Amino acid sequence: MFTKLAGVAGLLVSLAAAQASTTQRVIPTLSPQVDAAPSLTPTVYDPVAPNAQQCPGYTASNPQNTSSGFTADLTLAGARCQAYGNDVNDLTLEVQYQSKDRLNVKIYPKHITPENSTQYILPSSLVMQPEWDGKTTAGDSDLALTWTNEPTFQFKITRSSNGEELFSTYGHVIVYEDQFLELVTNMVENYNVYGLAENIHDWRLGNNYTQTFWATDSGNTVDGNVYGTFPWYQETRYNAGGNTTSHGVYARNALGQEWLLRENNITYRTLGGSFDLYFLSGQNADGSSSALTTIQQFTQDCVGVPAMQQYWTFGFHQCRWGYENVSVLQSVVAGYRDANIPLECMWNDIDIYDLYRDFTNDPNTYPSPELLAFIASLHANGQHYVPIVDSNIYTPNPDNASDAYAPYERGAALGTFIRDPTTGDFYIGDNWPGFSVWADWLVQSSRDWWTSELAKWYNDTSFDGIWIDLSEPSSFCVGSCGNGRLNENPVHPPFLLPNDPYQANYNYPEGFNVSNATEAASVTSAAASQASYLASHTLLPVPVTTTQGRTEPTPGVKNLNFPPYVLNAVQAGHSLLKGTVAPNATHNDAYNTTEYYMHNLFGYQISNATYQALLAVFPNKRPFTVGRSTFAGSGRFTAHWGGDNTSTWGSMFLSISQALTFMMSGLPMFGADTCGFSGNTDNDLCSRWMSLSAFFPFYRNHNVKATISQEAYRWSSVAEASRRAMSVRYSLLTYMYTLFYYAHTQGDTVMRALAWEFPNDASLAGTYTQFMLGPSLLITPVLVPNVESANGVFPGIGEGTNWYDWYTLQPVVAQAHENVTLSAPITHINVHVRGGAILPLQAPAYTTAETRANPYSLLVALDESGQASGSLYLDDGESLVQEATKLVQFSYTNNCLSTTINGTYHAAPPLANGK
Ligand SMILES: *[C@@H]1O[C@H](CO)[C@@H](O)[C@H](O)[C@H]1NC(C)=O
Ligand SMILES: *[C@@H]1O[C@H](CO)[C@@H](O)[C@H](O)[C@H]1NC(C)=O
Ligand SMILES: *[C@@H]1O[C@H](CO)[C@@H](O)[C@H](O)[C@H]1NC(C)=O
Ligand SMILES: *[C@@H]1O[C@H](CO)[C@@H](O)[C@H](O)[C@H]1NC(C)=O
Ligand SMILES: *[C@@H]1O[C@H](CO)[C@@H](O)[C@H](O)[C@H]1NC(C)=O
Ligand SMILES: *[C@@H]1O[C@H](CO)[C@@H](O)[C@H](O)[C@H]1NC(C)=O
Ligand SMILES: *[C@@H]1O[C@H](CO)[C@@H](O)[C@H](O)[C@H]1NC(C)=O
């Protein structure tokens, strides 16, 4: 968690007083000047930026067949153009028909050894690299590659069966420079492209959109770069005659990059590295293709299937920044119990720490005996506990012996924190605790140290999982700003905190003025008075930034901090230095790899390290870790929450598209901060959001400090909406778990877009006002304030699909494509069951364990021909390697229910009855 507070300037209020009220300790505040970075013009908006398409391109020669495809030489076809870097003269093209459904095109410098690399090539030891299956050849691939040298090297990928063109650089040159790669593909009219997570944007990306990838801590910026990087998209084409096709493209490169989605083309640009493109046919055995198959091919074969989660993690989680002490946690747990709202897991944000330092407990507010007793009481009630771990490590003040901080000392002794290239010493940025360093995940000793620190902390804080925050990684200053200043530590961050004076948050959701006119009026006047105070007083100086012009490429030189190509990054001034560790910082591996190449992988690596650490603490237990910054493949190690969203209706709506892009990216354990993180929520929004998130895999309410409380029991309608939605969720926990089993074993999705389940209905191409949970449940949430109804469609009606209301079991009466208005009082969320489904159910109880001990029943929802089927996966709910599992397949036909059982796991509760 972290939210920067905008719009305060100058210096007047005594910050010492402000801090005294916040932390009871008077500590020096860093000047915001430490975070000033030169302001740059993003290349996409720069009218005088070079057009890289005027570069000469390459000529292919010397093609050589290999067992999996062919290779060729590519030679620069003219003078160097130096658009955004130094052109690489000689390249190798490598084409591999890796499997029937996957074709790989690699382009990388011809002269390359790890010791002597002009270009960073992402190693397979870091990020999974799909390989040839050892048998496929061009002749038996779903896909075909053709190329030409007229006028320069271009290639296209077509579907072998019918010649459908899926990707084509024809008409465009390939640009390959040390700090800039560009490739353009032609696209069909009005294309339907999805993915390129992480973004806060419409689910169908559209053809006037630029996706920037540069992990950043700046809230949920709409249409900009956020925390994660998943450079892959899936494309759907609605051809005539209900013959929809799908394919996918994964570009395995972790550098800062940009994808320009335009009317007739997509331009792919990176700040270096190599082209490593995987084309996925999306084809099924019968030759048809679909989005769901394309997603399986990406997840299973390109990045790896997501981790299976422990059963309890599907319960409801409560968190907030601002739980001052253990008694407050106790009162929240009691509040949920008294209101009979299921609570599975309590969380702590940074309040738990002593002076914001990782692996510590505040001796006054979170003394470990008291915390351990609290956690033991949770455990005794079948509940759980997860604390935060920040990505930074506090660096103690060398002049103050009482400031010693053992986790730092032990890490420093290994010498494996990220380094400052100027001094060769550790890179010292700034974060919550003050000047801080970051672990270097490229080095094994750093990862071992992490395991040992978490194991030690477990003795004081008997957690059930770990929440990793600030893994972009976030730094509150530019460069190694703590150099020579450690004697000022612990410094206060260079901005004001939510409960500092004149920082009251008066933001409420859209529609609050209608639902709560009186309160809205008083808030508006308080906000106006704060704004007028701030207009005439300045609390902190505004950083003085300078404007920096375009960097010209220089032969033999790479400018890591200011590459000639400027990403449209969301931080003020668009500088790569802002808000994070500088790109020129170095690692301790044999090549002293720089952050320029590692930046987007920090979150992926810390999650992997935490996964390994949890395995050491809990041998053979599936690690539960939730991380903020992620990369393609992160789903193997971690769950993810949507980051610092806001308490607004728009933020709630966009959480659905954010979820769908993660479902298709191999990271299904996703959820958004329910009721909204920043700002104040209200009764209306929080009721709707608690209902909506009940159908997301990861279900957590989380709130920023110094806003109104938003636990589900604070308002009677939120409480009732939550109880009702949770009773649906908990009845279906086993269905959710079975969906995860299929995600984990075959790359299936959990939440699903309507377009995936009903691929021939072009009207659903952009729909995310509704979604499905697995193949069988349709969720139609309320997404706007102050209404009592929701609109939605019932796809497939008229073409053999029928639907039933979850609550009444009554069949839905609707016309094909009809936009139906459904009744949706504040405590109700519409859930419909698709005909043809058999859903295993259990009576909902207070915890997942109690629910799981209840007898099973079956909901059999017949399709139009009187049939239905479904499945149920069972195991012990926590072991990484299971001794026994069971998969039960149900089918109902001719008034007769039959089951097929595989596996020997024994589930104690009986099958009670059906409905
Ligand atoms: C470095 O690369 C060049 C080609 O650019 C090659 O000739 C040379 O042998 C390489 N040196 C090492 C140490 O690998
Ligand atoms: C495309 O997007 C840009 C920037 O978001 C916007 O200014 C422009 O109006 C859009 N163009 C069209 C045709 O929608
Ligand atoms: C489906 O559409 C594609 C693209 O238009 C076409 O190439 C293919 O022949 C069609 N297949 C069938 C079975 O109609
Ligand atoms: C891509 O299409 C847009 C819109 O038609 C056009 O302006 C642009 O020049 C094209 N880009 C390339 C690289 O051809
Ligand atoms: C690294 O980047 C920082 C921040 O811009 C800069 O101050 C420093 O001089 C750079 N060091 C080197 C060796 O490039
Ligand atoms: C945790 O505490 C136990 C019992 O005091 C001790 O034996 C063990 O070494 C401690 N573990 C770590 C990692 O410090
Ligand atoms: C709005 O009004 C209701 C009913 O008077 C009240 O209980 C609630 O706390 C108010 N505020 C918010 C933020 O919902």
Side-chain angles (χ1 to χ4, degrees), residues 473-508:
S474 165
S475 175
F476 300 157
C477 71
V478 163
S480 186
C481 66
N483 265 349
R485 299 182 62 171
L486 286 179
N487 56 354
E488 295 171 47
N489 243 352
V491 289
H492 179 289
F495 48 84
L496 299 173
L497 295 179
N499 56 348
D500 282 337
Y502 300 99
Q503 295 305 300
N505 192 310
Y506 295 117
N507 294 324
Y508 280 81

Side-chain angles (χ1 to χ4, degrees), residues 595-673:
E595 263 298 282
Y596 185 78
Y597 304 108
M598 289 297 111
H599 174 82
N600 286 331
L601 293 171
F602 188 97
Y604 172 91
Q605 292 181 290
I606 193 176
S607 290
N608 189 352
T610 305
Y611 180 95
Q612 307 305 335
L614 290 180
L615 267 184
V617 176
F618 306 109
N620 198 33
K621 214 181 227 192
R622 296 170 187 151
F624 179 52
T625 122
V626 181
R628 195 163 73 174
S629 183
T630 53
F631 186 76
S634 282
R636 282 181 294 150
F637 319 118
T638 189
H640 173 55
W641 92 104
D644 295 352
N645 64 4
T646 58
S647 296
T648 58
W649 292 84
S651 199
M652 176 173 80
F653 177 34
L654 286 165
S655 76
I656 302 174
S657 70
Q658 196 181 2
L660 292 174
T661 61
F662 276 101
M663 298 301 139
M664 61 183 282
S665 298
L667 208 171
M669 195 62 178
F670 174 86
D673 277 356

Side-chain angles (χ1 to χ4, degrees), residues 177-239:
E177 299 178 337
D178 58 357
Q179 291 197 272
F180 181 75
L181 269 53
E182 176 172 293
L183 173 150
V184 181
T185 178
N186 302 316
M187 297 295 283
V188 299
E189 201 77 17
N190 247 320
Y191 52 84
N192 302 295
V193 159
Y194 309 88
L196 299 179
E198 185 169 17
N199 54 63
I200 315 288
H201 182 76
D202 276 335
W203 176 60
R204 176 180 176 269
L205 294 172
N207 62 13
N208 182 28
Y209 179 58
T210 301
Q211 178 64 50
T212 303
F213 287 129
W214 181 257
T216 192
D217 171 13
S218 56
N220 271 14
T221 323
V222 173
D223 294 357
N225 51 312
V226 254
Y227 313 105
T229 303
F230 291 75
W232 103 278
Y233 72 79
Q234 179 266 325
E235 182 180 353
T236 297
R237 293 181 187 165
Y238 294 94
N239 306 302

